[in-house]
Amino acid sequence: MPPKYENHSSRFLLKSFDYHKQFCHIYAHRLAEMSGLLAKLAGKRWGQRIPIKKLCDLREDFEEECIIIGTIYKHQAHKPSILKDISEENQLAPQPPRQHYADSEDKVILEDELQRIRLFGKISAEEMATGVVCAVMGIVEEDGRFDVQDIMYYESGPQKTLSLIKESKLLVLISGLEQLQSHHYADSLNLFQYWLRGTFTSGKLKKEKVRVIVAGNSVRGSAEDKRITAFQTRVFDSKELVNAMKALDEWFASWSSFLPLDVMPGACDPANFMTPQQPFHYCMFPLAGRYENFQCVPNPYDCSIDEIRVLGTSGQNIGDLLRSTALEKPMDALRKTLIWGHLAPTAPDTLACYPYIDTDPFIIRECPHIYFAGNCDRFGTALQKGLDGQKTRLVCVPSFAKTQSIAVVDLLTLQCHEITFKAE
């Protein structure tokens, strides 16, 4: 009997496109929604005796402990800025671009609807990111700064208990197929396809594979770096790109002929740039699109398989977080976003996203059982346990082009392991 499947990604699908709005609305809604959630948790953690204050109610002579809830803004001297980009027009020396702009001198500021205040104390500035909504408990100092004694995050909300899974079933996660470079590892792709069909396993070792999720960068793994003038026609390597799309269509058609396949767009795929990235149009995959098993899904992607909630991205949120913080490993960044209760806190500050008006679809309202990020340099996995007993399997899905490997999750035990398909 096939597992029960539900797609919960409707909040990531854009029904209209209006780019005339300011980004302040998404920050306002993020703060309004998460403030209500954090206020309830703050009372449980710190008790009702400590009051929740607005920044406008704080006074320097107020020496009692209090709780404030707001959005983090991290002041970073090295962060990309449009003013720096146009500095040449002002006859100023432009600064060289930086791949990482976290610094020990970064300042952490908390903002609510009206005011802002500088934070210090028990808070790690280097691991914090702009856009995170949190509750802090502490005391206002005489110099107007807030001495943080404790800090709390939403931690991704409640989690459903599992009851439907009775036998081992495998969820296959793959990313970074990069068809433009696939001639370097064509044998590895063939080995992967043979494994999908169950060629290498039999008897007790054979487990049912229930779904494959392709987490972005299926066409290419890096953006084109071709600078053109305003009057120059943009020239694509159209023949190579078309051939890559045809080959990708053939692979997807083969896999979806016997297994459900979900395909997400990635940062370097022919899809919209802003998050959430919308699903590929089915005309791009005329062969695979004939199969009911084939499905184009957005990035981020949210679904459930037999009540197991699966949430993931193609990796842009993790890459941007690594650039703006001192976090070194994708697994650390993935864990932070789950603890913060938000898929992409740095959007729209340094990660481009759609200017939402009355919602923030990136808030993690229900804690997933499996949470993944695609296009990582290497495989990684960990089990994250929440304060209320939530258990989430974190998975850094390796880029197939770099590692010729995939991640496989057993839905019965939530155990995860890497399988490599290198043809020596």
Side-chain angles (χ1 to χ4, degrees):
M1 181 178 178
K4 180 182 178 183
Y5 165 82
E6 289 186 56
N7 190 335
H8 305 288
S9 301
S10 58
R11 69 182 186 278
F12 300 123
L13 300 178
L14 298 176
K15 298 176 177 59
S16 62
F17 300 89
D18 183 2
Y19 295 97
H20 294 88
K21 306 298 182 183
Q22 295 293 323
F23 288 105
C24 61
H25 299 288
I26 190 172
Y27 280 123
H29 186 88
R30 183 184 305 176
L31 177 60
E33 181 173 346
M34 299 196 74
S35 291
L37 299 170
L38 285 168
K40 298 177 182 177
L41 298 177
K44 295 179 181 179
R45 178 163 178 170
W46 295 312
Q48 300 297 328
R49 64 176 183 84
I50 303 179
I52 298 177
K53 296 279 189 179
K54 292 289 186 182
L55 292 181
C56 60
D57 298 329
L58 298 182
R59 299 291 182 269
E60 292 180 7
D61 56 353
F62 187 80
E63 298 181 354
E64 297 181 5
E65 291 180 337
C66 64
I67 302 168
I68 54 177
I69 301 175
T71 306
I72 293 293
Y73 171 73
K74 191 158 86 167
H75 178 76
Q76 297 180 284
H78 304 298
K79 186 172 69 174
S81 169
I82 185 63
L83 298 179
K84 295 177 183 178
D85 292 342
I86 62 173
S87 60
E88 290 182 344
E89 298 181 9
N90 298 326
Q91 297 181 349
L92 300 175
Q95 293 185 355
R98 297 170 62 105
Q99 294 299 319
H100 302 277
Y101 37 90
D103 190 84
S104 59
E105 300 298 321
D106 293 344
K107 301 181 178 79
V108 179
I109 299 166
L110 191 77
E111 298 180 342
D112 66 5
E113 298 87 347
L114 298 174
Q115 289 181 314
R116 55 168 47 183
I117 192 170
R118 173 88 179 275
L119 301 182
F120 76 106
K122 294 182 179 179
I123 185 169
S124 176
E126 294 182 356
E127 294 185 358
M128 190 60 73
T130 294
V132 175
V133 178
C134 61
V136 293
M137 187 270 288
I139 300 174
V140 182
E141 296 292 330
E142 294 181 356
D143 58 0
R145 298 188 300 173
F146 193 84
D147 183 8
V148 178
Q149 298 177 0
D150 198 5
I151 188 168
M152 185 185 69
Y153 307 103
Y154 181 51
E155 299 218 6
S156 302
Q159 185 181 61
K160 288 183 179 179
T161 56
L162 301 179
S163 60
L164 290 180
I165 299 291
K166 303 298 181 183
E167 59 181 345
S168 291
K169 298 179 180 180
L170 302 182
L171 172 65
V172 180
L173 302 172
I174 184 172
S175 68
L177 291 173
E178 297 185 28
Q179 276 300 297
L180 282 173
Q181 304 294 327
S182 63
H183 54 278
H184 296 300
Y185 45 88
D187 291 340
S188 298
L189 275 173
N190 280 312
L191 287 175
F192 169 65
Q193 179 165 283
Y194 294 150
W195 174 84
L196 266 187
R197 290 184 176 273
T199 304
F200 302 136
T201 53
S202 60
K204 294 181 179 179
L205 297 176
K206 192 168 185 177
K207 296 181 181 179
E208 181 186 2
K209 305 171 188 71
V210 295
R211 201 163 207 93
V212 178
I213 298 178
V214 181
N217 285 6
S218 299
V219 180
R220 67 171 81 241
S222 59
E224 289 181 304
D225 188 18
K226 294 182 178 180
R227 302 190 179 276
I228 58 175
T229 64
F231 301 100
Q232 181 181 352
T233 303
R234 188 181 182 93
V235 179
F236 291 97
D237 296 330
S238 57
K239 186 176 180 180
E240 293 183 5
L241 187 61
V242 169
N243 290 337
M245 290 301 300
K246 286 182 178 179
L248 201 61
D249 185 24
E250 291 173 357
W251 284 115
F252 289 166
S254 178
W255 302 345
S256 57
S257 65
F258 59 90
L259 198 63
L261 177 69
D262 301 330
V263 179
M264 302 165 58
C268 305
D269 286 329
N272 62 297
F273 176 72
M274 286 185 169
T275 56
Q277 288 184 292
Q278 300 304 286
F280 289 119
H281 197 284
Y282 281 90
C283 69
M284 300 176 72
F285 305 103
L287 299 179
R290 299 174 183 175
Y291 294 95
E292 292 184 0
N293 282 337
F294 180 77
Q295 182 180 210
C296 295
V297 297
N299 169 35
Y301 177 43
D302 186 4
C303 70
S304 61
I305 306 170
D306 277 350
E307 291 188 350
I308 293 182
R309 197 67 177 252
V310 181
L311 177 66
T313 71
S314 294
Q316 294 100 313
N317 56 334
I318 302 305
D320 192 67
L321 200 56
L322 292 174
R323 284 189 291 271
S324 59
T325 66
L327 300 172
E328 296 181 355
K329 298 179 180 179
M331 179 56 66
D332 296 333
L334 190 65
R335 181 181 288 108
K336 282 289 186 182
T337 57
L338 186 71
I339 293 173
W340 292 335
H342 201 276
L343 278 166
T346 55
D349 183 44
T350 52
L351 180 65
C353 82
Y354 182 77
Y356 288 94
I357 300 298
D358 54 2
T359 186
D360 181 357
F362 305 111
I363 296 174
I364 305 177
R365 297 170 178 85
E366 181 180 328
C367 187
H369 301 96
I370 300 171
Y371 181 38
F372 68 88
N375 299 289
C376 299
D377 290 336
R378 60 180 61 89
F379 168 79
T381 185
L383 187 66
Q384 176 68 18
K385 296 182 179 180
L387 295 177
D388 294 329
Q390 306 101 315
K391 292 183 180 180
T392 301
R393 172 57 61 182
L394 305 178
V395 185
C396 289
V397 185
S399 167
F400 194 87
K402 295 178 181 178
T403 64
Q404 287 81 62
S405 62
I406 63 171
V408 179
V409 184
D410 190 324
L411 299 182
L412 178 64
T413 62
L414 292 186
Q415 293 295 315
C416 180
H417 63 276
E418 180 184 23
I419 299 179
T420 302
F421 300 93
K422 286 188 177 180
E424 300 295 342

